[in-house]
Amino acid sequence: MSGPPDEFAWIARGLAPLAEGAPEAFGLTDDAAAIPSRPGFDLIVSKDAVVEGVHFLPGDPPELVARKLLRVNLSDLAAKGADPYGYFLAVAWPPAYGWPEREAFAGGLAEDQARFGLRLFGGDTVATPGPLTASLTILGWTPAGRMMRRAGARPGDVILVSGTIGDGYLGLLSAKGLLAGNSYIGADWLADRYRLPQPRLGLGGALRNHAHTAMDVSDGLIADAAKLAAASGVGLEIDLDQMPLSGPAAAWLARAADRTTALVGLATGGDDYEIVCAASPEDAPALLAAAADAGIALAPVGKATGGAGVRVTVGGREVAIARTGYVHT
């Protein structure tokens, strides 16, 4: 088939296989799923959407769009210290997305739900004149009362971030062809980091046992650190000289005309889907060790203080930042 499928054919052929092994979903033959209780655990629910031209580029392969959709939602679970369980999906398909495109989308979901251990429980599919829009509601489990909150940072806490920062920003530039010809900085690798973020699910136990608060970095390190600070009622100091960078990002920074401006760009660009968290100075070494045991690097980038807001420094000097990160309007 090459034309647009009808809703029920698409559910039966494209989506029902994603629910196999999930009795909660009834084979996607009903209007709802039944989620059983799990004694001693809390069910964690989060939701994110992606829109063509906003969260991914027109022409991006449908399988990569699907995988990014699942991964940005898994990143929210990672920040909550939750283990993945299942998800609900809603997709609004433009006319150009026929059977081949939709099957590729389902194939991307199948690949990553197998990788991360979850199943489709249900959802909805509709037609739209465009653009492609997909929304996912994700479910996970944490031990009762142990979900990580944005609130919880205390003055004196160490602020840490996982992985590397700025790859999503540079990856978008690369995916748009704006880093073409600069193979020495790993343009293709950066584009892959933008299209396929790495949810830091392995940090769950480390965060629950050793951190006061956590959230994922989607809109930019400075913007999301500011949200954490506001929820916690503290101020933060972030030293961009300590911000962890990948090899390609460090190579790009080394060739930047203005290092401070470039560092701010990396810290505010967004799309990294790393975890920013806070721990007491006494607990920080155990947090770093537990993260390392899980194969995930954490790096201290600052501290929590009294007061409010985020103070950003480069070379020991405060930097004024007009735009702290991405904002949907």
Side-chain angles (χ1 to χ4, degrees):
M1 297 182 180
S2 58
D6 67 63
E7 177 184 4
F8 302 106
W10 162 239
I11 291 171
R13 176 172 160 179
L15 297 180
L18 301 179
E20 290 178 359
E24 301 92 336
F26 307 113
L28 303 189
T29 60
D30 213 312
D31 290 325
I35 305 301
S37 62
R38 187 179 178 189
F41 288 81
D42 290 334
L43 183 64
I44 308 304
V45 184
S46 186
K47 184 180 188 67
D48 263 321
V50 297
V51 178
E52 187 173 16
V54 179
H55 302 93
F56 62 94
L57 299 178
D60 275 354
E63 62 271 23
L64 295 186
V65 175
R67 294 174 69 189
K68 181 170 186 176
L69 172 65
L70 190 55
R71 289 175 181 225
V72 300
N73 279 273
L74 285 166
S75 183
D76 281 330
L77 285 190
K80 302 296 102 183
D83 296 324
Y85 173 46
Y87 65 99
F88 293 84
L89 173 71
V91 186
W93 295 107
Y97 286 79
W99 275 110
E101 292 79 15
R102 298 190 194 194
E103 289 183 322
F105 187 93
L109 289 175
E111 179 177 347
D112 268 5
Q113 73 174 36
R115 182 189 306 270
F116 296 110
L118 67 169
R119 293 287 184 272
L120 176 65
F121 289 158
D124 195 17
T125 177
V126 299
T128 178
L132 174 63
T133 301
S135 174
L136 193 148
T137 301
I138 199 158
L139 311 180
W141 298 106
T142 64
R146 299 290 303 281
M147 186 189 85
M148 299 302 302
R149 301 279 308 279
R150 286 187 186 183
R154 307 165 188 172
D157 277 358
V158 180
I159 305 302
L160 307 98
V161 69
S162 68
T164 54
I165 295 297
D167 297 330
Y169 164 70
L170 294 178
L172 177 57
L173 296 181
S174 177
K176 289 181 173 180
L178 300 179
L179 297 183
N182 294 339
S183 59
Y184 62 89
I185 64 168
D188 290 343
W189 184 89
L190 289 167
D192 185 66
R193 282 278 285 152
Y194 166 72
R195 291 191 171 105
L196 286 179
Q198 301 296 319
R200 303 302 185 182
L201 292 163
L203 281 178
L207 293 172
R208 292 194 305 267
N209 292 329
H210 304 295
H212 288 153
T213 181
M215 70 175 293
D216 79 328
V217 178
S218 56
D219 295 328
L221 175 60
I222 304 305
D224 290 320
K227 297 170 191 173
L228 184 150
S232 298
V234 299
L236 297 184
E237 294 182 0
I238 302 293
D239 181 359
L240 296 189
D241 292 313
Q242 297 185 56
M243 187 168 63
L245 303 178
S246 65
W252 176 85
L253 178 64
R255 299 181 68 89
D258 184 286
R259 184 174 182 273
T260 296
T261 299
L263 278 171
V264 170
L266 296 175
T268 59
D271 271 311
D272 288 311
Y273 296 99
E274 296 291 350
I275 303 297
V276 61
C277 59
S280 71
E282 295 77 18
D283 285 337
L287 175 60
L288 288 164
D293 287 344
I296 300 172
L298 281 177
V301 293
K303 64 181 179 179
T305 66
V310 179
R311 179 176 180 267
V312 179
T313 63
V314 175
R317 296 184 178 182
E318 185 170 1
V319 178
I321 298 179
R323 178 183 179 276
T324 61
Y326 187 84
V327 177
H328 292 276
T329 56

